[in-house]
Amino acid sequence: MTPEGIHAGGNVSTVRHFVLLGFSDLPELQGFLSGVFTIIYLVMLNGNSLIITVTILDPALQRPMYLFLANFSSLEICYVSVTLPRILFEIWTQKTNISLLGCTMQLCFFLMLAATECFLLAVMSYDCYVAICHPLRYPLLMNPKKCAQLAAASWLGGIRVQIRQTCKIFFLHFCKSKRITHFFCDIPPILKLACGDTSAHEGSVYVVAMLFVAVPFMLILASYSKIVSTILRLPTAQGRAKAFSTCSSHLLVVVLFFASGTVTYLRPKSSQSAGTDTLLSLFYTIMTPMLNPMIYSLRNKDVIAALKKLFFQTQRHRSP
């Protein structure tokens, strides 16, 4: 076998590692990117950790809505940690090689967590729907056992399918190159390296994307159509404003996540480009998880009150 791993009798490569090009084509910006991504990661970790902390400690937030919010913040920490530490490692060390196993694991965890995010956003929209459209039945429909089951289903629902999809992708032969024109192991740039016709695998990706992206999104749309209809029938402007503020943060997060994710995975292959894929992926894998704690904390009076209480308690304990 040659250093590139090419078999003597053909052009099929036995790949042992890939090269993540990432931001290597911007050598003059490596220091700037390192600083920006480090700040983003710290902001994301601290923001989501604060939300988890206040939802656990504050009795006023011991409600289904905030149980799901704590799960969502935990998910965002895991989701970003699949890609961003690797990006920082590559920038700091200038080592862009990633083993076949490392690439497989990164893609698998990324897909499982992305599926969890889609499901959890759908569950949170259902919670808003029940709270606004059926307030009297809310304690019964969203009891602690039901909430725990919905949260667990969101985390576990995509594991089997995404493991199978990851295995199918990495059972392909790769002969075009080992250079992934992306900052992490994602499906579109990996399929571009495969030998022969990959249309069957691309079709499978579309089916799974429809199942894990389009179906939850349609459920969210159905929930919000009922929510908007109910809010518009409320007799007072104050009541309508209060009802809308209950779910506006979630709606904004849904739009940010699904818009960029849908364009990335469901747009025609002919319109795909490495630069556009990178920008879109940066948005929904890194920027949105960083913005989510700000969106939920700045637009939710209960979370703001809990954060203030936690801050004052911390200051009181530190005072002599």
Side-chain angles (χ1 to χ4, degrees):
M1 189 181 292
T2 68
E4 292 299 316
I6 305 297
H7 288 292
N11 63 348
V12 177
S13 173
T14 304
V15 173
R16 297 184 184 276
H17 70 271
F18 293 100
V19 178
L20 286 168
L21 296 182
F23 305 97
S24 59
D25 59 339
L26 303 170
E28 69 282 0
L29 295 178
Q30 295 298 294
F32 172 75
L33 291 172
S34 174
V36 169
F37 287 138
T38 299
I39 292 170
I40 288 174
Y41 194 48
L42 292 174
V43 169
M44 185 280 303
L45 285 176
N46 289 324
N48 284 292
S49 297
L50 266 177
I51 287 181
I52 295 168
T53 301
V54 296
T55 54
I56 292 173
L57 297 180
D58 196 316
L61 300 184
Q62 303 300 309
R63 288 181 277 163
M65 175 183 177
Y66 300 106
L67 166 69
F68 295 132
L69 180 56
N71 271 270
F72 189 69
S73 293
S74 302
L75 170 65
E76 294 293 58
I77 291 174
C78 298
Y79 185 61
V80 177
S81 295
V82 170
T83 56
L84 195 46
R86 174 76 202 188
I87 296 172
L88 291 172
F89 171 80
E90 290 167 9
I91 293 175
W92 293 339
T93 65
Q94 295 300 300
K95 294 179 179 178
T96 58
N97 284 5
I98 183 170
S99 68
L100 179 62
L101 178 61
C103 194
T104 304
M105 296 296 290
Q106 186 182 56
L107 178 61
C108 188
F109 278 107
F110 173 77
L111 293 176
M112 289 190 296
L113 293 169
T116 299
E117 181 142 359
C118 294
F119 290 150
L120 197 52
L121 287 171
V123 167
M124 293 169 78
S125 72
Y126 174 72
D127 177 66
C128 289
Y129 160 73
V130 176
I132 292 174
C133 301
H134 303 284
L136 298 179
R137 299 177 61 197
Y138 185 81
L140 177 64
L141 293 175
M142 300 303 292
N143 60 71
K145 182 179 178 181
K146 179 71 171 293
C147 292
Q149 289 173 340
L150 288 171
S154 299
W155 282 94
L156 302 175
I159 290 179
R160 184 176 178 180
V161 173
Q162 299 297 7
I163 289 176
R164 181 181 296 177
Q165 178 167 249
T166 303
C167 290
K168 286 175 65 177
I169 289 170
F170 283 98
F171 280 149
L172 291 169
H173 291 294
F174 300 97
C175 56
K176 296 179 181 177
S177 173
K178 294 189 294 186
R179 298 158 63 89
I180 298 175
T181 55
H182 209 5
F183 60 88
F184 74 102
C185 295
D186 199 7
I187 293 176
I190 291 174
L191 286 180
K192 289 178 182 178
L193 307 183
C195 309
D197 184 14
T198 60
S199 57
H201 289 84
E202 290 167 9
S204 174
V205 170
Y206 271 91
V207 170
V208 173
M210 291 296 291
L211 178 63
F212 290 105
V213 178
V215 172
F217 186 63
M218 294 303 293
L219 293 174
I220 291 170
L221 285 181
S223 295
Y224 273 101
S225 66
K226 294 286 187 179
I227 289 169
V228 171
S229 176
T230 300
I231 289 175
L232 292 177
R233 291 201 302 268
L234 293 176
T236 64
Q238 184 179 3
R240 290 193 291 271
K242 184 178 179 181
F244 184 73
S245 68
T246 302
C247 55
S248 59
S249 300
H250 175 259
L251 183 58
L252 182 55
V253 170
V254 166
V255 171
L256 290 173
F257 178 76
F258 278 99
S260 53
T262 300
V263 171
T264 299
Y265 286 97
L266 297 182
R267 76 186 193 278
K269 185 178 179 181
S270 58
S271 65
Q272 293 179 6
S273 68
T276 304
D277 285 344
T278 298
L279 288 175
L280 288 170
S281 298
L282 275 174
F283 192 76
Y284 76 85
T285 60
I286 295 174
M287 294 304 299
T288 302
M290 182 193 71
L291 295 173
N292 287 346
M294 303 179 200
I295 293 170
Y296 276 108
S297 60
L298 294 177
R299 299 181 64 86
N300 189 298
K301 294 180 180 178
D302 292 336
V303 174
I304 292 174
L307 288 171
K308 287 180 178 177
K309 187 189 300 183
L310 179 65
F311 175 76
F312 287 127
Q313 286 176 350
T314 304
Q315 290 295 103
R316 193 179 303 118
H317 287 309
R318 287 180 178 177
S319 300

